[in-house]
Amino acid sequence: MDWLLTGIMLTAFVILGSSQLGICIRVVALQGALLSLLPLLAGDPFLDLHRLFLAGTSFTIKTLAIPLLLTRSLSQAKIKREVEPAISLHLSLLGGGAILVGAFLGAKFFSLPTDPFPSSIIPVALTIIFIGFFLLISRYKAITQVLGFLVLENGVFLFGVTLIGEFPLTVEMGVFLDLLVGVFVMGIMIHHINRTFDHIDTKALAVLKDIE
Amino acid sequence: MNLIFLLIIPGTLGILTLFIRGNQKRALRRHILFLGALSHLVGTSLFYFPGAQRSFNIYLSIDSLGLLFLSLHSVLFFFVSIYSFGYFFKEYRSEQERGIRHLYAPCMLFFLISMTVATLTSHLGLLWVAVEATTLATAPLIYYHHNAHALEAAWKYLLICSVGIALALLGIFFVAAAGKGSGFDLFFSDFIKNAKNLDARWLKIGFLLIMVGFGTKMGLAPLHNWLPDAHSEAPSSVSALLSGALLNVAFLGILRCYQICIAAGLSEFTNTLLILFGLTSLGVAVVFITNQKDYKRLLAYSSVEHMGILSLGMGIGAPFASLLHMVNHSLTKGLLFLVAGHIMLGYRTKKVSEVHGLLKTLPATGILFVTGGMAIMGLPPFAPFISKFMILRESFTHNHPVVAIFYLLFLGIIFVAMSKILFAMAQGEKREIPGTLERYPYLLVSPILLAAIILVLGLYLPPGFIHFLREASHLLEGNL
C-alpha cells in the first residue's frame, strides 16, 4: 500500500516539474489510475460490489474520459505544447518539496482514523491538495489550470477514500458526474478562449477590475 | 406529487429545450421556460397545504429551513421567467455573436432543478453535488454575451467556484470523519442527534473548510473575487437569480453544517468565524462601493455587503433576523438587477457617468430604481430596514457592542456612497437614449410586483410568515 501512495505522490511531482503539456495530461491520467486502485484495497472481501463500482467509475472518468477531453481541446487549440509557468520549474519542484515536508510535519496534528490504510495517506493527500493549489496559481495557460484543479480534486478523493462506506454509492456517482461535466464545460471554454484571443493564456483574462 | 412538479416537469422541459435550436424559436423556448417556472411554483405551493407530504425518500425530505429557501427561489425564478419574455428581444445583437444562445432556457431550468435538490435534500453529500451542479449550470449563462469580457467572467467563476467547492467537499469529509465509527450515514438529522459523540476537533476543521468552500460561492470577502465580474457580465435576468437565489443556496450549505456544530456545542467557534467573515465582507464592500464606476458592479458589491450582513446576523445569534434579511435582500436585489436590465437596454452602457435623468427619460424605470435603491440601503418603510434594524438591536442585546459599532459605521458609509451614485443616475434632464424598450410591459411586471412585495413586507409582516420564519430559525438554534 505504501508503494501505491508513494507512486501517487511522485506523479504529482512529475506534473509539477514537466514542461510538456501532453506529458502532464498523461501523468494526471496515470495518477487517476493509481487512485482507482485504492478502493479495491480498502477491505476484506476484495470483490465488494460497491467498491468495485467505485473503482470502475473512477478509472473510466479520471483515466479515460477527462484526459481524452483535455487532449482533444489541446489539439484543437493549436498552441505550443509547453507549460508556461509563472514560477520556474526548478523553483516549482523546490516548492513542492517544501509542501511535502510541511504536510508530513503538519499531519501530526491530523491523527485521523485511517484504517485500513496506512496513516501516511493523510500527509500524502495534503501534499497533493497543496500541489494542486500551487499549479493553479503558478501556471498561465488555461489548460494547466484545469490540470491543477484535477490534481486538487485527486487529493480530496484520496482523503475521501478513507471514509469509504460512509458515503452511499449514489452520492459518489454524483460527485464523479459533477467532475466530468465540470471538465467538459472547462474544455468548451478553453476552446472559446482560444478562438477569442488566439491563445489560451489566462493573462488575457485580467481586464475586469474596479480600479482603472 | 410535489416532486413531479418540482423536478420532473422542469427537468423534462429542460431536456426538451436543448433540442429546440435557432434564433427564430427563441419565443417558444421562453414560453417553455415560463411553463417550467410555473410548474415549480405550483409544486412549491403544494407544500403549504396542511398535511402535505414532506418526506419522499431517505435522501429527499424537506424541513422548514429548506422550504424557506425553496419558496424564495421559486418565486424569484417565476418573476425572472416573465421578465425573460421582454429582455432578450432588444439586446444588442451583432453578427459575430453566435453560439450557445439557445442554451439560455435549458441552463436556467437545470439551474432551477439543482437549486431545488440542494434545498430538498437531507444528506450532506447530495447537498454538495447539487451546489456544484448549480455552478456548472450557470457558467454558460454568464457567458451568454459571447464576448471577451463575458468569457473572462465565466472562466473565473467556473474555476474559482469549482476549487472552492472542492474545499467544501474536503470539509464534508472532515465532518464525516468526526462521526466515523458511529455507523450513521451523512444525514444532518443523524449528526444533530448524535452531536455529543462527535469529535470536536474534526468538526471544527470541517466547518472551517465548509465555510471557506461554500463561502467562496456565497461571495463572502475575501473570497468574493468572481462575484462582481460574473454579476456585471451576465445578462440582468441571470444576475438577479445569481444574487437572489444562488448565493442563498451556498448560504444554506453553511447553515446545514452550522446546525451540526451548534448541536455539538461549538457555537462560540462558529459564531466568531461567521462574525469575522461578515465584518470583512462589509469592509470590502465599503471600499469598492465608494466611487464605483459601473452600476452593475455596484449592485454586485452590494450583494457582498448583504451576504456579510447575513453571516454577521447568524454569528451574533440572531437567526430570525438573518433569515428575514435574506428574504428581503433576495427580493430587493432581484428588483434592482431587473431594473438595471432596463437601463442597460435603454442607455446601452454600464457606466454610471453616462446615465443621467433616469426619472425623466424612463419614468417607470426611474421610480422603480429609486425605490429599490432606497430599500437596499435600508430606508423605511421598506422591508430591508426592519431586518437590518433587528440585527443591530440583537447585536446589542447579545453583547456585541464592538460589532454593532462597526456594522453601523460600514452601513453608514455605504448609505452615503450608494445614494450619491444612485441619485446622480436618477436625476437630471430628459435626454435621447440610444436604445429602445420594445416590450416594455413584460419588463415592468416583475419589478413592479417585487417592489410591491418589499413595500408591503416593510409595512406589515403577516403573522403566518413570522410563524414560518420562527420555525425555520428554531432549527438553527440546535433543535431538530
Side-chain angles (χ1 to χ4, degrees), chain B residues 352-371:
Chain B
V352 171
S353 54
E354 290 173 19
V355 180
H356 290 294
L358 206 50
L359 280 169
K360 290 202 173 124
T361 318
L362 295 167
T365 300
I367 291 168
L368 285 169
F369 193 60
V370 172
T371 310

Side-chain angles (χ1 to χ4, degrees), chain A residues 166, chain B residues 175-176 178-187 190-191 194-195 197-198:
Chain A
E166 321 266 320
Chain B
V175 173
K180 200 183 180 187
S182 40
F184 47 84
D185 280 327
L186 281 167
F187 295 100
D190 285 351
F191 274 105
N194 296 306
N197 306 326
L198 295 174

Side-chain angles (χ1 to χ4, degrees), chain B residues 211 218 220 251 271 273-280 282 305-318 322 391-392 395 400 403-404 406-408 410:
Chain B
M211 185 88 202
M218 184 183 164
L220 289 175
F251 186 45
N271 286 349
L273 211 58
L274 283 164
I275 290 178
L276 220 57
F277 270 108
L279 280 181
T280 320
L282 279 167
E305 173 211 342
H306 286 270
M307 289 302 121
I309 295 178
L310 295 190
S311 169
L312 185 111
M314 288 306 302
I316 56 168
S322 193
I391 290 176
L392 179 66
S395 60
H400 289 290
V403 174
F406 273 111
Y407 174 71
L408 261 186
F410 288 150

Side-chain angles (χ1 to χ4, degrees), chain A residues 109-116 126 129 133 136 141-143 145-146 149 152-153 155-157 159-163 165-171 174-175 177-179 181-183 185-190 192-197 202 204-212, chain B residues 59 96 98-100 123-126 128-133 136 139-140 143 146-156 158-159 162-163 166-167 169-170 172-174 176-181 183-186 201-202 205 228-230 232-233 288 292-293 297 301 351:
Chain A
F109 303 102
F110 289 84
S111 55
L112 282 167
T114 55
D115 51 283
L126 287 177
I129 289 171
F133 261 119
L136 267 170
K141 276 192 175 139
I143 201 161
Q145 294 189 336
V146 179
F149 169 64
L152 175 80
E153 188 72 49
V156 176
F157 178 87
F159 197 93
V161 162
T162 60
L163 297 163
E166 321 266 320
F167 263 69
L169 195 62
T170 41
V171 174
V175 173
L177 189 69
D178 273 347
L179 183 65
V181 178
V183 175
V185 177
M186 285 176 190
I188 294 174
M189 282 208 183
I190 290 176
H192 282 277
I193 294 175
N194 182 51
R195 213 180 53 185
T196 315
F197 302 108
T202 50
L205 301 179
V207 183
L208 300 176
K209 53 189 158 212
D210 293 286
I211 297 139
E212 270 132 43
Chain B
Y59 295 119
Q96 305 97 333
R98 270 178 298 151
I100 54 170
H123 189 278
L124 271 175
L126 197 58
W128 183 88
V129 171
V131 175
E132 169 69 7
L136 304 176
Y143 185 40
H146 270 253
N147 53 36
H149 287 173
L151 186 60
E152 178 184 341
W155 180 257
K156 266 191 202 169
L158 191 59
L159 209 65
S162 298
V163 170
L167 287 184
L169 183 63
L170 192 63
I172 290 175
F173 286 153
F174 268 100
K180 200 183 180 187
F184 47 84
D185 280 327
L186 281 167
R201 287 172 303 167
W202 310 138
I205 300 177
D229 297 346
S232 72
E233 295 306 321
F288 287 102
Q292 180 57 253
K293 306 261 184 316
R297 289 182 86 86
Y301 277 111
K351 289 208 179 83

Side-chain angles (χ1 to χ4, degrees), chain B residues 24-43:
Chain B
Q24 314 82 343
K25 298 204 177 125
R26 184 176 278 193
L28 176 62
R29 289 198 297 268
R30 297 285 184 276
H31 280 93
I32 294 177
L33 177 67
F34 176 74
L35 274 183
L38 189 66
S39 142
H40 193 270
L41 197 63
V42 170

Side-chain angles (χ1 to χ4, degrees), chain B residues 102-164:
Chain B
H102 65 278
L103 285 180
Y104 176 74
C107 281
M108 286 288 258
L109 286 168
F110 294 145
F111 176 35
L112 178 68
I113 296 173
S114 39
M115 283 197 299
T116 306
V117 173
T119 51
L120 277 175
T121 185
S122 52
H123 189 278
L124 271 175
L126 197 58
L127 174 72
W128 183 88
V129 171
V131 175
E132 169 69 7
T134 59
T135 314
L136 304 176
T138 42
L141 293 173
I142 293 173
Y143 185 40
Y144 183 85
H145 285 300
H146 270 253
N147 53 36
H149 287 173
L151 186 60
E152 178 184 341
W155 180 257
K156 266 191 202 169
Y157 170 68
L158 191 59
L159 209 65
I160 295 179
C161 284
S162 298
V163 170

Side-chain angles (χ1 to χ4, degrees), chain B residues 33-34 37-38 41 71-87 104 108 112 236-237 240-241 330-332 334-335 338 342 441-454:
Chain B
L33 177 67
F34 176 74
L38 189 66
L41 197 63
S71 317
L72 194 56
H73 80 235
S74 187
V75 169
L76 201 62
F77 194 89
F78 183 70
F79 284 142
V80 167
S81 77
I82 300 176
Y83 182 85
S84 295
F85 281 120
Y87 186 62
Y104 176 74
M108 286 288 258
L112 178 68
S236 293
S237 54
L241 277 179
S330 288
L331 298 173
T332 316
L335 160 70
L338 294 185
H342 299 178
Y442 280 113
L443 292 174
L444 278 176
V445 178
S446 309
I448 289 176
L449 288 174
L450 283 169
I453 295 174
I454 53 172

